[in-house]
Structure formats: structure tokens, C-alpha cells
Amino acid sequence: MISTRALASVLCTLLLTENVLAVKTSDFKTCSQAGFCRRGRGLATRAAEAKSSWTSPYSIDASSVTISPDSAVFTAAFGLELRIHDDGVVRVRMDEVDGLLQRYNEAASWALISEPKVSKEIQWSAGKKDVRAAYGDKLEVVVQLAPLKVSLLRAGKEQVVLNGRGLLHMEHFRKEEKAPCSRGIRNHRPDPRAWFEGDDKTDLWEEKFNSWTDSKPKVGPESLSIDISFPNHGTVYGIPQHATRLALPTTTGDSPFFTDPYRLWNSDVFEYVASSTMSLYGSIPLMHAHSADSTVGVFHVMGSETFIDVGHASEKSTETHWISESGILDTFIFPGPTPEDIFKQYSRLTGTPVLPALWSLGYHQCRWNYVSSTDIRTVQQRFDEEDMPVDVLWLDIEYAPDHKYFIWDDKKFPDPVEMANDVAAYGRKMVVIIDPHFKRSSDFPVYKEASDNGILVKPKSGDGEYEGWCWSGSSSWIDFFNPASWKWWQGLFRTEPSKDGFTWTQSTKDVHIWNDMNEPSVFNGPEISMPRDNVHHGGWEHRDIHNINGMLFTNQTFQGVEQRTGGAERAFVLTRSFYAGSQRFGAMWTGDNLGTWEHMEVGIKMVLANNIAGMAYAGSDVGGFFGNPEPEMLVRWYQVGILNPFFRAHAHLDTKRREPYLLDEPYKGIIKNLLRLRYTMLPIWYTAFRETSVTGLPIVRPHYVVFPKDKKGFQLDDQYFIGSSGLLVKPITTKDARETTVYIPEDQPYYDYFTSQVHRGSSKGKEVTIKAELHEVPILIRGGSIIPTRERPRRSSALMKKDPFTLRVALDKSNSATGELYLDDGDSFKYRDGEFIWRKFAAEASGKKKIILKNHDLGKAKPQEAIDPNVPSSLTTFDPKNAYAKSIEGAVRVEKIVVFGLASKPSSVKLAGSALAFDFVEGVAANGKKEGTASVLTVKDPKVDVGNEWEIEISL
């Protein structure tokens, strides 16, 4: 019998010989092949054809309305409930009342960090035709009773409307009714619901796809359809993960861009298409709707397969239709009105991205597979010989014999602990893969213990253990919906022996984890996944919880890795599958991409889409997982990689080795400089991560987030800002390109990061041309920004912790600039107790002849805004002389200050009255109108601590 690995290798080799995209689309359903989606779209078609005569059958009897006397809650017939939270978010829930079975109602419990607080100040008022609540900044929620329609209004204008088109439909559980027979002829009685539900009765109680049959053991259909409209917002973003533009193209209406709706069904898609509505590895049912006036959003909490149609009744409006296979209606409406408000409203529900360990923001080197411990040591040695920085070395599945994860191949990896320690000796870490499928073998302790504990997913019968096929051959999957699995799984990552069972003694605290294949991927299952009628804890079917499944695996892994040190050190976990809330547990990547220019380009858009949906710690495999990119493409891909939050190179086992030190010159030298550039910018990335860990704002920010009123930027998704730093970047993703255009939306100078060339924008927006030879990556500094970097090249980030800083001060037209810097030990959780420094650098004009550059203490000024309020902390006041601040006092200084855009050469530069040495190169002034190279003032080693208050006076 041919092995799984051999079969996969043969398939991959054949696929790689084709110069075409190789995704096998027939393995995955389209809407027309999913009965519930077909019925949902049919409902929309009937409503559109009926036009104004269409009326939703869902109405509320006014006598059923019950309003809470002490909170902003009201309930009504058929399980409808509306709540308004303290922050103005509206929650709409509806469940089937007295149904034959309970619909799945636990999705929110996995996504939310806690039950939101309902307002006690806002009150509903009931009328004959509607129920209303007015609050906040001209906000009002109106629930029309007949037919049912829920609207959020601001200043009298509709912002979000549920069931405005009458497409709400909760298919009720029902018993199959066989039409009576007369003389052998089946007599079908007219269906009184056919005008609404249609007459398509196929796939209600059983559904076939390719060779698989979904038995649907529950009582009939259970889908949910809801139309959500944005009458005054013409652009929508979100609902990752899809390989497409950031501003979602249409799927319905006249000449739609796509003809199939966006699908959310976590899937292991082999070499996915670079422009498609196909489902990929993760699903976040969150959508932003945007206009120049405001931003609103919806979070439609479903764990089951969901299709979303997007159309535009006009240029200024958007209509969407959400069709899910199962579950209750549980939808959060975010009133905004700014993108920043939306991020905060969403993160208050689902949590903010975790503050990662500093080392994890460095460069990660991976491939399928490094074949031995000797290979790992050689890779590390080659990076050091070439003076290329790297922080993390990775191992894919081949470290484990027969893919029994946690177990080492003692011939290829005879000394795993010593290997990990050798890597850690240079301040580096390792990441090792742990997939969720476990070989069904009695000599594999992880499987044996899981089986003995009864915590494995069950087949449709509800008895025994589901058996499927994956890398390990015959495999079973742990049911992480079962709380009994949690403590056991977390304990596996302990590195000391335990009498309670298996622990990973052949590991160290410097080994972190990669969770792959957790959609889950099942090679012999329907759509390369688990059958929908499999049974999980609580009796729920897999169809109900599929999109949540991968998050629970990563959650417990993250906790296990964190707890092995007693909570002393931060964990790193990478996941392929994700859901709303996954941002709390680590990083994600965009999966099995190809080494093509198209995949390089769409990877940027996908990372942006994940960022606005909360999954900020995101990146794409540099170089592409499949294929052998030419040197030019590989260089450009590294330029993309250094500007992603998560920066990893990875490759398939059938590709040529492409570690950067193997390239010929000039490519090797270019990539070496790019790696060093990433490391000089680590303070920028770490500072951005602190902000997103508190506010939920994205790490990489598309144009509409930073300039929400600029209509010209609503479709931009190939350039973006890095946090609040002021860095505007536009990686090159086109072959042979040696220049590009960058859109500048404001009347301010933007400075080339490398040459200090000034590009001036316009209040109406302006495109400027940027030179981009192969060794150049377009990075601009927005006027008004101060950029802190560490310029000394090191082998790893751990060796940079005491290095000095360079401050780039890019003046705006008013000769002002600001920037932030956040530092802590980068590894522990001591920052939660106030062991950090958080500084604000500010340059301000003082009259016409002076500019004052100051260093302020933000930790002291805003201690409650320094860290995520949802994590355990003893921080109530901030001590500027905390233990971390003391540890770097006198050791971490500012060694250089570079000021761009002064109008003339300074007469003096002084610190506390003492003159500082400086150089000045004449050039273009920030407050002028000319373009060209900016003037550059360089202050040499002012000998000021980065963590102390100081003031430098520049006299002109």
C-alpha cells in the first residue's frame, strides 16, 4: 500500500510541474451544491422578483413585547431579544421556541471574553408599531413590529438594517412527511409555505456531495437566513479569510465581480486561487461598512458554514445576505462611528491580540522539513557565518516517526533537548509542529491517554471514536469542546516527568508550537474535512461548531505552553485555522500559497483583511509554500515579509532549498540588508503591538482606517501604515517593476525612509512616483512622525536589548512631530505589574526660531491605558523607577537624533544648556513647497537615556 506521505509527494510533484493553479475546486462545495445555501439564494430571488409585494412573514404581536424595567433589554415572540450594551453596541438574538430540538446556541460563548454589560441607563419604549431606544450621539434603535425589521439610525439616517428585504428565515426543525399514496401514485399536497420557502425539498433530510452522504440525523433542516443592509455605506470590508481585495467585490446584482457568495467554512485548500470567494483556513463573521460619514459593523456569531452575498443597490449603499447551515440568530451591531470605534467595540467583545514575545517579531526560518538535528545546527551556523539575523528555527512534521507528534525520530533527532539548547545559546527559539490528528496506535501514549479518557470526537452514532486519515495514517481527533480534555492537553507540554501521564520531557521552554491542519483537515473526509454528522461534547454535530474547532485547539495549546513555565514566560503559537477570538492566542498565516506574483500581491490584502478583523498577528509564507521563485521574486517577497507583522519563510519539501544564504549575489546581499532592516525596526513593531493589545487597532492599517473621510482611499489595499508610527509602505509585487506610485492623502511632506527625499501630498490627495530598484522597498515617513530604531546589526533580537536608539524626526508643516516607544523585558508578564517604559517623543515649534524635542513619560501620564485591561494585573499606579526601567537606566541611550525638514542650519543644539555636536546638510524644508532631498540635522550621541525625561533645544 502506498503511504500517505509518498502519495502526497507524488501528487505535489505532479502539481508543481504544471504552470497553472492546482486547487481542485471540485473537492469543495459551491452555494448551488449546498442545499441550505441554494434555498437561501432562492428565497432572495423570489423576494427580488416580487419586488414591493414581498412581505416578510416574521412579525411581532405587540402584546408579546416585554421591556426590562432596569436594563436595556426587551424580548418578544419567537425568542427575539434585543440588548443595548454600555458602549452602545446592539445585540439581536433569536431562537426557535418550542422546537423539536435545541438549535446550536453556544458560538458566542467561545468567541466572547465575557458576557457584555447591558446598559442600565438606556430605556426602550413601546408603541403600537415599533419599539424604540434613543441614546448616545443621536443614535436610535427601532424595531418595527410588522413585518419585523431592526434598524440602527444615527441622526435619523439608517446605518444598519436587519430584515429590511424580508429575507429572515429560521428553518424550523420538522419531521419528514411522506406524501400519501393512492394506487401506487404519491399525491403531493400543496405546501402553504412554498411562496416563502420555495418548493425545493431536496437535501432536507439527507445530502450527498461527491462520494459522501451527510445523514443529517437531526430533525430536518435548520438553516438561518438574514439580510443585513447598510443603506448609507457603499464599501464593505472583512469576513476573512478569502483571497480577494480588501474592499469586498460584489457577488450579486448587475455584472457581479464574483458569481458565488463568500463562503466561511474552514478548509484545507491546496494551492488556493489568488482571486476567489472560496473558503480558506479561517472564518471571522465580522463586516465593516464604510462611508465618508461613518463606519459601522456587524458581528454575526455563527460557528456553522455560512455564505454571504454582497451587492450594491446604489453606489452609496450595500446589501448583504448571510445564509448559515445551523445555529441561532446572534448578531452584534457596532454603531462606530469611526473605524477606531469599531475596533474597540469588537475587541471589548472578543478580546485584543496578545502582546507577543519580542523574539517572535524577528525572522522565522522554516521548511518542510529540516531533516535532522545536524541540519538545524547547520542552518543556524550558516546564518551566523553570513551575518544574517534570525530568531526562530522551525521543524515540520518529519521530526516525528509515523507522525506521532511529541515523539522524536531518535535516528534523525537523537538529541532534541541539546539541539534546542544549542539554538537557545544564541538567544534564539525553536518552533515545532503539533497537528490535531493522532495516530491510532496503542504504543503512542498521547492517543492512548486520549482514548482512555474518552475525549475523542465521535462518529455520527455518538459512540466510539471517529477514525479518519491524515498525515499519521489512521487517526482520531481530540474533542476540545469537552472540558475534560483541557487540563490533560495543557499538561502534555510540561517538560518534567509526571506520574499522571505523558509529558514532553524531550522538549524545553525554548520550544514553541505550530498548530497546523486544525480546520480540521481529514484526507478521506468530505471536502477534506470531518463529516458534518460527527458528534462533539454536548451532543452537538460537527456542522454546528466546525469554524470554531480550530480555535479551541490553539487556545489549549497556548495555555499549555504558557503554563509549563508557571506563567513566567510568554507563549508563541502559530495557527492555520482561526475564528473570532483567536487573536487572544497568537499568530496566523495565510496558508499554502504559491510562489507567484499574484499570491504575493493577494497575501498583502489578506493580511490587511485579517488585521481589521482582529487577527493582527498575521503574515504570508515568504517565497510561497509551493514552487521555486526566481531570485527577483524572492527578493520582493522578503520585502513584503519584513513589512508583515508575522515574518516567516517557508517552503514545501519538493522545492529547492532557498535559505537566503544560498542565493548568489547581489540577491544574497539584498536580503541580508532586508533582514537587518526588519531588526532595526523591531521597536516600531513592538510598540505597535502594545497599542493593538490594548485598543484592538490593527498593526497594519489600510488607508480607510487612517483617513476614513478620504473617498479616494476606500479601495486602496496595496499600501498601508504600520501602527501609529507614521510609516507608510508599499511593497513591490510586480515583476520587473523599478518604480511605483504611492497615494498621499494630505497636504503634508512624506520623507523617503532611506534617502530623505520629500514627497508632498495634497489636501485633495495626490499620487507620487517612488523609485524602487530591486534593492529598494518603498517606505515613507509621514511628516509629523518620530521613528525609534536600533541600528546595530545583531544575530538575534535577544542580543539587541541593551542597544542604543536612533530617533528619526520627520517634521510636518508646522515643524512638529510625535512618536512613541514601548519597551519591557520582551519575555515575561512583569509588564502587567508595571515593569515597562512607555515614552512619547515630541518635537514642537517654540516661536519662529526654536524647536524643542522632549521625552515624556506616557506610563506615568496614562497608566490605565498602558496594558490590556482584560488581563490579570496589579497595576494601579505607575512607578517610573520600576525594576525594568532601572535595569536599562544608564545602559540604553539615544545615540543619534536625525531631524528632517528644518528650514535652516541651527545656530546651536543644546541639552540642559550644554552644546551638543551636530552636522547639518542643506535641503528642502518641511514647511516649504519644494520637493527634493530634505535638510538633515544629525545630533551625535546626545547621551540621553531613552527612559528618562529630557529636553533638547534646537535654535535656528
Side-chain angles (χ1 to χ4, degrees):
M1 180 184 292
I2 188 169
S3 70
T4 336
R5 169 64 90 213
L7 178 60
S9 180
V10 169
L11 287 171
C12 292
T13 301
L14 290 172
L15 288 164
L16 288 167
T17 60
E18 300 288 334
N19 192 29
V20 295
L21 296 177
V23 60
K24 192 175 179 182
T25 55
S26 60
D27 282 342
F28 303 95
K29 286 185 179 181
T30 60
C31 178
S32 64
Q33 294 169 307
F36 77 92
C37 185
R38 191 171 60 249
R39 295 193 298 274
R41 263 196 161 183
L43 173 65
T45 298
R46 290 190 294 279
E49 290 172 348
K51 298 180 180 178
S52 60
S53 65
W54 181 265
T55 301
S56 171
Y58 289 84
S59 296
I60 295 175
D61 185 337
S63 65
S64 73
V65 172
T66 301
I67 297 175
S68 170
D70 56 0
S71 63
V73 178
F74 95 77
T75 59
F78 53 78
L80 179 69
E81 179 186 72
L82 273 83
R83 304 178 181 181
I84 305 176
H85 300 162
D86 279 344
D87 61 356
V89 171
V90 181
R91 187 177 189 178
V92 183
R93 297 179 86 247
M94 190 176 81
D95 196 355
E96 186 172 345
V97 176
D98 299 326
L100 295 177
L101 291 174
Q102 173 62 55
R103 302 176 72 92
Y104 183 66
N105 60 1
E106 297 179 0
S109 68
W110 300 110
L112 305 187
I113 55 176
S114 62
E115 190 64 23
K117 293 183 179 179
V118 177
S119 172
K120 294 185 178 299
E121 305 298 325
I122 302 168
Q123 288 293 314
W124 293 96
S125 61
K128 293 182 179 180
K129 296 183 178 181
D130 58 42
V131 181
R132 295 170 176 258
Y135 63 98
D137 183 16
K138 300 180 181 179
L139 287 171
E140 187 175 28
V141 182
V142 178
V143 183
Q144 177 182 289
L145 300 182
L148 174 64
K149 184 174 80 168
V150 179
S151 303
L152 174 71
L153 297 86
R154 184 181 293 275
K157 294 176 65 175
E158 289 183 327
Q159 306 293 295
V160 184
V161 178
L162 275 61
N163 201 37
R165 295 159 60 202
L167 305 184
L168 170 64
H169 184 35
M170 183 175 281
E171 289 187 321
H172 63 278
F173 289 119
R174 66 195 79 174
K175 294 180 180 180
E176 185 175 10
E177 297 179 1
K178 301 289 187 180
C181 291
S182 175
R183 298 180 181 180
I185 300 174
R186 192 167 294 281
N187 299 315
H188 292 278
R189 291 173 293 188
D191 183 355
R193 296 190 299 266
W195 72 272
F196 184 67
E197 291 190 325
D199 52 13
D200 180 3
K201 303 302 181 184
T202 59
D203 300 328
L204 292 180
W205 285 272
E206 182 180 89
E207 191 163 350
K208 297 182 183 296
F209 177 69
N210 292 340
S211 61
W212 293 278
T213 299
D214 176 4
S215 66
K216 296 190 176 181
K218 293 182 189 175
V219 192
E222 53 178 315
S223 74
L224 174 70
S225 161
I226 181 72
D227 59 283
I228 304 176
S229 300
F230 308 97
N232 292 286
H233 297 81
T235 309
V236 289
Y237 310 97
I239 55 171
Q241 186 184 43
H242 301 96
T244 187
R245 301 199 305 256
L246 179 66
L248 295 170
T250 56
T251 62
T252 59
D254 296 334
S255 302
F257 189 87
F258 295 119
T259 56
D260 220 48
Y262 295 95
R263 188 187 189 206
L264 296 178
W265 175 257
N266 295 355
S267 303
D268 180 3
V269 183
F270 189 81
E271 296 186 319
Y272 53 85
V273 179
S275 177
S276 174
T277 59
M278 282 184 67
S279 57
L280 292 177
Y281 311 95
S283 299
I284 301 180
L286 170 72
M287 180 177 285
H288 292 196
H290 186 70
S291 72
D293 295 326
S294 67
T295 311
V296 294
V298 292
F299 176 34
H300 189 60
V301 194
M302 303 298 293
S304 64
E305 179 182 14
T306 299
F307 286 88
I308 303 120
D309 267 319
V310 174
H312 299 290
S314 69
E315 289 184 1
K316 295 182 178 180
S317 65
T318 304
E319 296 177 339
T320 68
H321 183 198
W322 304 61
I323 313 166
S324 301
E325 185 178 16
S326 69
I328 66 168
L329 175 66
D330 196 355
T331 302
F332 294 86
I333 303 174
F334 302 126
T338 68
E340 181 175 348
D341 292 323
I342 297 292
F343 297 127
K344 291 180 178 179
Q345 289 157 7
Y346 176 70
S347 64
R348 276 193 286 268
L349 292 176
T350 66
T352 58
V354 63
L355 178 63
L358 176 62
W359 57 263
S360 71
L361 303 184
Y363 175 56
H364 298 244
Q365 181 63 55
C366 184
R367 78 171 277 110
W368 179 22
N369 205 87
Y370 291 120
V371 298
S372 66
S373 56
T374 299
D375 197 4
I376 283 287
R377 290 181 172 101
T378 300
V379 171
Q380 172 162 261
Q381 179 182 347
R382 290 299 308 276
F383 270 96
D384 288 341
E385 288 173 351
E386 297 291 344
D387 239 359
M388 292 181 173
V390 62
D391 261 77
V392 195
L393 301 179
W394 290 55
L395 285 175
D396 211 321
I397 58 177
E398 305 307 329
Y399 79 92
D402 296 326
H403 307 126
K404 297 175 182 176
Y405 307 112
F406 294 98
I407 309 300
W408 294 89
D409 185 326
D410 57 10
K411 293 182 179 179
K412 297 176 181 178
F413 297 91
D415 56 348
V417 170
E418 291 79 5
M419 172 187 66
N421 288 339
D422 287 347
V423 171
Y426 293 88
R428 298 184 177 120
K429 309 290 182 180
M430 292 194 68
V431 171
V432 176
I433 198 167
I434 302 288
D435 282 351
H437 48 268
F438 292 95
K439 189 172 185 68
R440 293 173 56 83
S441 176
S442 59
D443 65 351
F444 180 28
V446 176
Y447 164 72
K448 183 69 166 56
E449 291 181 14
S451 180
D452 291 345
N453 290 332
I455 54 175
L456 296 169
V457 176
K458 295 175 171 56
K460 63 182 179 181
S461 66
D463 298 316
E465 300 167 1
Y466 168 68
E467 180 181 0
W469 201 261
C470 208
W471 295 125
S472 302
S474 176
S475 304
S476 288
W477 282 255
I478 295 168
D479 183 4
F480 286 102
F481 291 88
N482 187 342
S485 69
W486 300 347
K487 185 177 180 180
W488 170 80
W489 178 257
Q490 293 165 17
L492 297 179
F493 294 93
R494 289 180 294 176
T495 57
E496 68 280 356
S498 171
K499 63 180 181 180
D500 297 328
F502 176 86
T503 58
W504 204 10
T505 57
Q506 289 188 306
S507 182
T508 79
K509 69 180 184 62
D510 295 308
V511 174
H512 294 256
I513 304 301
W514 171 16
N515 284 162
D516 197 358
M517 312 293 285
N518 52 328
E519 292 75 29
S521 177
V522 182
F523 292 158
N524 64 336
E527 299 192 89
I528 318 178
S529 194
M530 196 171 279
R532 295 170 189 242
D533 48 12
N534 274 6
V535 179
H536 290 262
H537 178 74
W540 300 116
E541 291 180 6
H542 186 72
R543 79 182 76 251
D544 300 318
I545 53 80
H546 174 86
N547 288 341
I548 307 170
N549 182 81
M551 177 176 72
L552 269 60
F553 178 45
T554 306
N555 177 349
Q556 298 307 318
T557 300
F558 184 83
Q559 293 189 52
V561 176
E562 186 176 288
Q563 290 174 12
R564 71 183 175 188
T565 62
E569 296 187 13
R570 296 176 224 173
F572 172 82
V573 176
L574 178 74
T575 183
R576 188 170 72 175
S577 180
F578 54 89
Y579 184 68
S582 288
Q583 68 270 15
R584 306 192 298 266
F585 313 118
M588 61 74 61
W589 91 108
T590 61
D592 296 344
N593 57 353
L594 284 83
T596 66
W597 293 99
E598 293 79 10
H599 272 250
M600 186 195 309
E601 178 184 11
V602 80
I604 294 172
K605 306 174 195 301
M606 294 169 71
V607 169
L608 289 174
N610 276 284
N611 263 256
I612 66 168
M615 284 297 295
Y617 199 1
S620 297
D621 281 342
V622 170
F625 181 59
F626 294 103
N628 295 299
E630 60 183 331
E632 179 191 359
M633 182 190 297
L634 195 56
V635 167
R636 292 301 194 193
W637 215 312
Y638 269 90
Q639 292 173 356
V640 171
I642 67 167
L643 299 174
N644 272 342
F646 175 59
F647 177 29
R648 181 183 76 157
H650 185 38
H652 190 274
L653 84 170
D654 287 332
T655 64
K656 297 176 182 178
R657 295 285 284 253
R658 49 169 128 112
E659 290 76 15
Y661 52 72
L662 295 175
L663 296 176
D664 294 329
E665 295 292 0
Y667 310 108
K668 179 169 69 174
I670 294 173
I671 293 179
K672 175 179 178 178
N673 289 336
L674 290 170
L675 293 174
R676 288 184 169 184
L677 178 61
R678 170 69 174 206
Y679 278 74
T680 66
M681 290 184 168
L682 285 180
I684 301 168
W685 290 103
Y686 198 58
T687 300
F689 266 97
R690 184 219 64 84
E691 183 182 14
T692 198
S693 74
V694 176
T695 66
L697 268 69
I699 297 291
V700 287
R701 300 178 184 174
H703 186 88
Y704 89 91
V705 172
V706 182
F707 293 95
K709 295 186 178 298
D710 181 17
K711 295 180 181 179
K712 293 181 180 178
F714 291 177
Q715 300 288 326
L716 274 180
D717 55 12
D718 57 357
Q719 64 178 63
Y720 53 90
F721 291 86
I722 298 176
S724 298
S725 68
L727 290 182
L728 173 61
V729 303
K730 184 176 182 180
I732 302 297
T733 58
T734 306
K735 182 178 174 58
D736 295 329
R738 294 299 182 263
E739 65 178 27
T740 189
T741 58
V742 174
Y743 176 72
I744 298 178
E746 58 182 335
D747 185 16
Q748 288 289 355
Y750 279 62
Y751 303 82
D752 188 288
Y753 185 87
F754 306 99
T755 68
S756 69
Q757 176 80 12
V758 174
H759 301 278
R760 297 194 185 276
S762 162
S763 59
K764 296 182 179 180
K766 178 182 176 183
E767 288 189 342
V768 299
T769 300
I770 307 293
K771 183 182 176 184
E773 294 294 331
L774 185 58
H775 66 283
E776 296 173 318
V777 53
I779 302 177
L780 301 180
I781 308 175
R782 182 184 182 188
S785 306
I786 298 179
I787 309 295
T789 59
R790 281 175 152 152
E791 299 291 331
R792 299 187 181 184
R794 303 288 190 187
R795 293 180 179 185
S796 68
S797 63
L799 305 178
M800 301 174 67
K801 291 187 175 182
K802 295 294 180 72
D803 280 355
F805 281 86
T806 292
L807 300 182
R808 287 176 171 82
V809 182
L811 297 176
D812 65 11
K813 291 175 65 176
S814 65
N815 284 332
S816 300
T818 61
E820 292 185 14
L821 174 66
Y822 174 81
L823 296 173
D824 58 31
D825 64 26
D827 294 303
S828 78
F829 294 97
K830 294 178 181 178
Y831 71 91
R832 294 178 177 176
D833 299 319
E835 294 194 22
F836 61 83
I837 67 168
W838 181 24
R839 313 298 299 189
K840 177 181 179 181
F841 305 109
E844 299 173 352
S846 177
K848 295 182 179 180
K849 293 294 184 178
K850 286 185 180 179
I851 293 176
I852 308 298
L853 178 61
K854 298 179 181 181
N855 181 356
H856 300 284
D857 191 342
L858 283 176
K860 185 177 180 180
K862 300 188 291 186
Q864 302 306 318
E865 298 179 31
I867 63 172
D868 179 1
N870 296 306
V871 300
S873 172
S874 63
L875 182 62
T876 54
T877 59
F878 178 71
D879 179 7
K881 297 297 182 181
N882 62 76
Y884 174 73
K886 286 182 178 179
S887 74
I888 66 170
E889 190 172 9
V892 180
R893 70 186 197 283
V894 176
E895 69 173 348
K896 184 192 292 185
I897 298 173
V898 184
V899 182
F900 302 117
L902 289 173
S904 61
K905 181 178 180 179
S907 58
S908 66
V909 179
K910 294 182 179 181
L911 171 68
S914 298
L916 298 176
F918 66 89
D919 290 328
F920 183 77
V921 178
E922 296 282 352
V924 172
N927 57 7
K929 296 183 179 180
K930 294 181 180 180
E931 295 195 349
T933 304
S935 67
V936 180
L937 167 69
T938 303
V939 181
K940 303 174 181 179
D941 197 6
K943 292 184 173 61
V944 290
D945 274 12
V946 74
N948 289 340
E949 302 274 338
W950 45 259
E951 187 175 299
I952 292 175
E953 181 181 285
I954 302 171
S955 297
L956 303 178

